[in-house]
Short mmCIF file of all heavy atoms in Angstrom, two decimals:
data_model
loop_
_atom_site.label_atom_id
_atom_site.label_comp_id
_atom_site.label_asym_id
_atom_site.label_seq_id
_atom_site.Cartn_x
_atom_site.Cartn_y
_atom_site.Cartn_z
N GLN A 75 22.89 -20.66 -71.09
CA GLN A 75 22.45 -19.57 -71.98
C GLN A 75 23.58 -18.63 -72.41
O GLN A 75 23.51 -18.06 -73.50
CB GLN A 75 21.35 -18.76 -71.31
CG GLN A 75 20.10 -19.54 -70.95
CD GLN A 75 19.31 -20.00 -72.18
OE1 GLN A 75 19.67 -19.72 -73.33
NE2 GLN A 75 18.21 -20.71 -71.96
N ALA A 76 24.59 -18.45 -71.59
CA ALA A 76 25.69 -17.54 -71.92
C ALA A 76 26.96 -18.03 -71.22
O ALA A 76 26.91 -18.56 -70.11
CB ALA A 76 25.38 -16.11 -71.50
N VAL A 77 28.09 -17.85 -71.91
CA VAL A 77 29.36 -18.35 -71.38
C VAL A 77 30.36 -17.20 -71.27
O VAL A 77 30.47 -16.37 -72.16
CB VAL A 77 29.94 -19.44 -72.30
CG1 VAL A 77 31.34 -19.86 -71.85
CG2 VAL A 77 29.01 -20.66 -72.32
N PHE A 78 31.09 -17.19 -70.14
CA PHE A 78 32.15 -16.22 -69.91
C PHE A 78 33.41 -16.96 -69.42
O PHE A 78 33.30 -18.04 -68.84
CB PHE A 78 31.73 -15.18 -68.86
CG PHE A 78 30.52 -14.41 -69.27
CD1 PHE A 78 29.23 -14.84 -68.91
CD2 PHE A 78 30.64 -13.23 -70.01
CE1 PHE A 78 28.11 -14.12 -69.30
CE2 PHE A 78 29.51 -12.51 -70.39
CZ PHE A 78 28.25 -12.94 -70.04
N LYS A 79 34.56 -16.38 -69.66
CA LYS A 79 35.81 -16.95 -69.12
C LYS A 79 35.81 -16.83 -67.60
O LYS A 79 35.31 -15.85 -67.05
CB LYS A 79 37.01 -16.23 -69.73
CG LYS A 79 37.18 -16.45 -71.23
CD LYS A 79 38.23 -15.53 -71.80
CE LYS A 79 39.61 -15.81 -71.23
NZ LYS A 79 40.64 -14.92 -71.81
N ASP A 80 36.36 -17.82 -66.93
CA ASP A 80 36.38 -17.85 -65.47
C ASP A 80 37.64 -17.12 -64.96
O ASP A 80 38.75 -17.63 -65.11
CB ASP A 80 36.38 -19.30 -65.01
CG ASP A 80 36.23 -19.43 -63.50
OD1 ASP A 80 36.53 -18.45 -62.79
OD2 ASP A 80 35.84 -20.52 -63.03
N PRO A 81 37.46 -15.95 -64.34
CA PRO A 81 38.63 -15.21 -63.86
C PRO A 81 39.24 -15.81 -62.58
O PRO A 81 40.35 -15.42 -62.19
CB PRO A 81 38.07 -13.81 -63.58
CG PRO A 81 36.65 -14.04 -63.23
CD PRO A 81 36.21 -15.22 -64.07
N PHE A 82 38.55 -16.74 -61.95
CA PHE A 82 39.04 -17.35 -60.71
C PHE A 82 39.90 -18.58 -61.02
O PHE A 82 41.00 -18.73 -60.50
CB PHE A 82 37.88 -17.70 -59.79
CG PHE A 82 37.03 -16.53 -59.45
CD1 PHE A 82 35.80 -16.32 -60.09
CD2 PHE A 82 37.44 -15.58 -58.53
CE1 PHE A 82 35.00 -15.21 -59.79
CE2 PHE A 82 36.66 -14.47 -58.22
CZ PHE A 82 35.44 -14.29 -58.87
N ARG A 83 39.40 -19.46 -61.88
CA ARG A 83 40.16 -20.67 -62.25
C ARG A 83 41.03 -20.45 -63.47
O ARG A 83 41.98 -21.19 -63.69
CB ARG A 83 39.19 -21.83 -62.49
CG ARG A 83 38.39 -22.24 -61.27
CD ARG A 83 37.58 -23.50 -61.53
NE ARG A 83 36.84 -23.93 -60.34
CZ ARG A 83 35.55 -23.76 -60.14
NH1 ARG A 83 34.81 -23.18 -61.06
NH2 ARG A 83 34.99 -24.21 -59.02
N ARG A 84 40.66 -19.48 -64.30
CA ARG A 84 41.40 -19.08 -65.51
C ARG A 84 41.60 -20.26 -66.46
O ARG A 84 40.78 -21.18 -66.46
CB ARG A 84 42.73 -18.42 -65.09
CG ARG A 84 42.51 -17.25 -64.15
CD ARG A 84 43.79 -16.54 -63.80
NE ARG A 84 43.56 -15.61 -62.68
CZ ARG A 84 44.49 -14.86 -62.13
NH1 ARG A 84 45.73 -14.90 -62.59
NH2 ARG A 84 44.18 -14.06 -61.13
N GLY A 85 42.61 -20.19 -67.30
CA GLY A 85 42.79 -21.23 -68.31
C GLY A 85 41.60 -21.29 -69.24
O GLY A 85 41.04 -20.27 -69.64
N ASN A 86 41.16 -22.48 -69.56
CA ASN A 86 39.99 -22.70 -70.44
C ASN A 86 38.70 -22.87 -69.65
O ASN A 86 37.65 -23.18 -70.23
CB ASN A 86 40.23 -23.94 -71.31
CG ASN A 86 41.31 -23.72 -72.34
OD1 ASN A 86 41.43 -22.64 -72.92
ND2 ASN A 86 42.16 -24.73 -72.54
N ASN A 87 38.77 -22.68 -68.35
CA ASN A 87 37.58 -22.86 -67.50
C ASN A 87 36.58 -21.73 -67.72
O ASN A 87 36.95 -20.62 -68.11
CB ASN A 87 38.01 -22.95 -66.03
CG ASN A 87 39.03 -24.04 -65.81
OD1 ASN A 87 38.77 -25.21 -66.06
ND2 ASN A 87 40.23 -23.67 -65.38
N ILE A 88 35.31 -22.02 -67.46
CA ILE A 88 34.25 -21.08 -67.87
C ILE A 88 33.20 -20.88 -66.77
O ILE A 88 33.02 -21.72 -65.87
CB ILE A 88 33.52 -21.57 -69.14
CG1 ILE A 88 32.98 -23.00 -68.97
CG2 ILE A 88 34.47 -21.47 -70.35
CD1 ILE A 88 32.16 -23.50 -70.18
N LEU A 89 32.54 -19.72 -66.86
CA LEU A 89 31.34 -19.43 -66.09
C LEU A 89 30.14 -19.55 -67.04
O LEU A 89 30.20 -19.04 -68.17
CB LEU A 89 31.38 -18.01 -65.52
CG LEU A 89 32.59 -17.62 -64.68
CD1 LEU A 89 32.50 -16.14 -64.26
CD2 LEU A 89 32.70 -18.51 -63.45
N VAL A 90 29.08 -20.20 -66.59
CA VAL A 90 27.93 -20.46 -67.47
C VAL A 90 26.68 -19.88 -66.83
O VAL A 90 26.24 -20.34 -65.78
CB VAL A 90 27.75 -21.97 -67.69
CG1 VAL A 90 26.62 -22.22 -68.70
CG2 VAL A 90 29.04 -22.61 -68.17
N ILE A 91 26.13 -18.84 -67.44
CA ILE A 91 24.86 -18.28 -66.97
C ILE A 91 23.72 -19.16 -67.48
O ILE A 91 23.62 -19.43 -68.67
CB ILE A 91 24.68 -16.84 -67.48
CG1 ILE A 91 25.77 -15.93 -66.95
CG2 ILE A 91 23.28 -16.30 -67.11
CD1 ILE A 91 25.75 -15.74 -65.44
N CYS A 92 22.86 -19.60 -66.55
CA CYS A 92 21.80 -20.53 -66.89
C CYS A 92 20.44 -19.94 -66.48
O CYS A 92 20.36 -19.06 -65.62
CB CYS A 92 21.97 -21.85 -66.14
SG CYS A 92 23.56 -22.67 -66.43
#
Side-chain angles (χ1 to χ4, degrees):
Q75 300 291 359
V77 174
F78 299 91
K79 293 170 64 179
D80 187 339
F82 303 102
R83 297 187 177 104
R84 305 183 192 179
N86 292 320
N87 304 300
I88 56 176
L89 305 177
V90 185
I91 297 295
C92 303

